[in-house]
Amino acid sequence: MIDELEALRAEALEAVSGAPAQAELRDLEVKYLGKKGALTAILKGMGKLSAEERPTVGALANQVREALKGAIEGRRADLEAAAIEALCADPHFDASLPGPSPSAGSLHPVTTITEHIEDVFRAMGFYLLDYPEVEDDAHNFEGLNIPADHPARDMQDTFWLQDGHLLRTHTSPGQIRAMAEFAPPFRAIFPGRVFRYERLDASHEHTFHQVEGIMIDRDISVANLIHSMKTLLGAIFEREVTIRLRPGFFPFVEPGFELDIQCQVCAGEGCSVCKGSGWVELLPCGLIHPNVLRYGGLDPEEWSGWAFGLGLSRLVMMKYQIEDIRHLMGGDLRFNAQFRAG
Ligand code: FA5
């Protein structure tokens, strides 16, 4: 074995010193030192040696390995230096030119707008909460005053999981979770992804973002609600936008409203986003239904509250005049890059 190792050393050192380029050098490294290489193959015979022979052969094998590693490193450095020298000798090479600049990442516009809304609400004393995307029937429907067989369940087509759970169809289940978690009075927002088994078009996605907000206190009125929604929209758009308030039906609020914003893509003229109407449904809201307060463990005689569920994806579309919601979750980085700051 000693002879075999010596022969291997001599052969490998010669081959390495004559390796013409990096690729050949890599091949030689694999051939001699790789897991299935020549050195490993020889060392497989170690088991047949006597106990006296083994340390000597083992020590030699280590020497050979180290010698080969050193020779390979040395040859690699020589080849690199030669390559740089050759490059510098090229009259077309200009070492003073800047190299390729690394491309900067960018935040998704939904993230940017979510963070902006979080700042607005935090400044007004709202908690910022995060609730699960996989929900149970009790929080997504039952506790929100939508019992089984209630026709309102058809308003939000649901992705059911095999174990009876579901992907939340809106952020409203957080209302009940927040009421169970905090003692009133309190105010909170909870942004997040929601999922619906939807037919997709320019303004409907199966996965989109909402932010829910609630305020629980004594004597909360519609006037409180409208004031808060106006403050919110003013802060978001940083410009005057035309809105309209209509009665809206949601089983978990009474009274309920739909707050629409004039379509910012077509300035109210009518387009595919607003389906020609000039208005986009953006901010459903209302006073929390007594049944929901009760389900959340609060006495409706003492406590009242408002809630809203803002469609964040549509808000992004309005803010940046994006004509198709499918761009938002499309995963095309060129789309994101358009929103790079600075
Ligand atoms: C709800 O989800 C209620 N939970 C909102 C609510 C909360 C009402 C609190 C009252 C009190 P709605 O299904 O209308 O309501 O959805 C709310 C918003 O989400 C819509 O205004 C719209 O902006 C957005 N939205 C709804 N469906 C889609 C969809 N498929 N794609 C993108 N955005 C959608």
Side-chain angles (χ1 to χ4, degrees):
M1 263 183 95
I2 290 182
D3 292 346
E4 273 182 275
L5 284 168
E6 291 293 3
L8 177 77
R9 169 153 57 185
E11 177 198 318
L13 287 179
E14 196 185 329
V16 165
S17 68
Q22 298 284 3
E24 284 82 358
L25 190 61
R26 262 194 304 276
D27 291 344
L28 290 173
E29 193 173 16
V30 173
K31 178 176 170 192
Y32 292 112
L33 296 179
K35 262 198 202 150
K36 293 183 184 155
L39 186 63
T40 316
I42 296 177
L43 291 180
K44 279 199 180 132
M46 287 276 281
K48 291 189 199 123
L49 297 179
S50 69
E52 294 80 49
E53 287 170 316
R54 229 173 269 157
T56 324
V57 173
L60 179 63
N62 280 339
Q63 276 173 23
V64 171
R65 181 183 290 114
E66 290 311 310
L68 284 182
K69 273 189 186 166
I72 289 169
E73 279 315 308
R75 183 69 188 150
R76 188 164 283 147
D78 289 349
L79 287 171
E80 260 164 31
I84 291 172
E85 223 167 274
L87 193 62
C88 292
D90 181 345
H92 301 295
F93 177 71
D94 179 356
S96 65
L97 282 178
S101 49
S103 65
S106 49
L107 289 178
H108 193 283
V110 171
T111 307
T112 310
I113 221 159
T114 307
E115 288 178 353
H116 179 52
I117 290 172
E118 288 170 4
D119 287 346
V120 170
F121 277 91
R122 249 199 304 244
M124 296 195 293
F126 280 69
Y127 301 140
L128 174 59
L129 308 175
D130 186 25
Y131 288 125
E133 292 178 350
V134 172
E135 264 297 1
D136 52 29
D137 187 286
H139 286 87
N140 199 82
F141 291 124
E142 196 81 31
L144 289 170
N145 204 26
I146 317 175
D149 304 326
H150 192 290
R153 287 203 178 201
D154 295 341
M155 289 162 74
Q156 301 179 357
D157 283 327
T158 309
F159 287 114
W160 291 94
L161 305 183
Q162 277 171 347
D163 66 357
H165 281 78
L166 53 92
L167 296 182
R168 67 178 175 192
T169 55
H170 50 174
T171 41
S172 300
Q175 290 186 28
I176 300 173
R177 293 192 178 274
M179 283 182 226
E181 197 174 340
F182 299 99
F186 71 91
R187 49 190 85 176
I189 58 162
F190 18 102
R193 277 195 312 177
V194 302
F195 309 87
R196 289 187 200 175
Y197 185 47
E198 288 270 11
R199 179 187 289 272
L200 305 188
D201 62 27
S203 56
H204 290 83
E205 251 292 5
H206 51 70
T207 303
F208 56 100
H209 291 76
Q210 292 185 338
V211 55
E212 192 92 1
I214 60 171
M215 180 184 273
I216 306 277
D217 209 328
R218 295 183 171 89
D219 305 321
I220 291 284
S221 66
V222 172
N224 287 121
L225 169 71
I226 291 174
H227 171 76
S228 303
M229 298 307 102
K230 276 191 172 159
T231 311
L232 166 66
L233 289 174
I236 291 171
F237 282 95
E238 294 163 332
R239 63 169 184 256
E240 206 90 14
V241 285
T242 310
I243 59 165
R244 70 177 186 190
L245 201 61
R246 299 176 282 128
F249 171 71
F250 301 92
F252 34 95
V253 285
E254 181 55 42
F257 303 98
E258 285 281 9
L259 193 153
D260 301 338
I261 171 175
Q262 192 177 64
C263 183
Q264 304 288 296
V265 176
C266 62
E269 297 282 312
C271 67
S272 61
V273 174
C274 60
K275 304 226 163 59
S277 73
W279 295 94
V280 175
E281 252 179 52
L282 192 68
L283 186 62
C285 50
L287 297 188
I288 300 177
H289 196 286
N291 286 350
V292 178
L293 290 169
R294 239 177 255 120
Y295 201 91
L298 303 181
D299 177 3
E301 297 297 321
E302 186 181 359
W303 298 106
S304 48
W306 57 243
F308 69 82
L310 174 65
L312 275 178
S313 307
R314 297 226 182 123
L315 180 62
V316 166
M317 295 172 74
M318 290 301 103
K319 181 147 181 168
Y320 297 107
Q321 281 125 45
I322 297 168
E323 80 300 346
D324 195 317
I325 195 169
R326 287 164 289 197
H327 291 309
L328 294 184
M329 302 296 286
D332 186 338
L333 292 180
R334 291 171 306 175
F335 171 77
N336 280 21
Q338 298 177 81
F339 301 93
R340 191 170 292 156

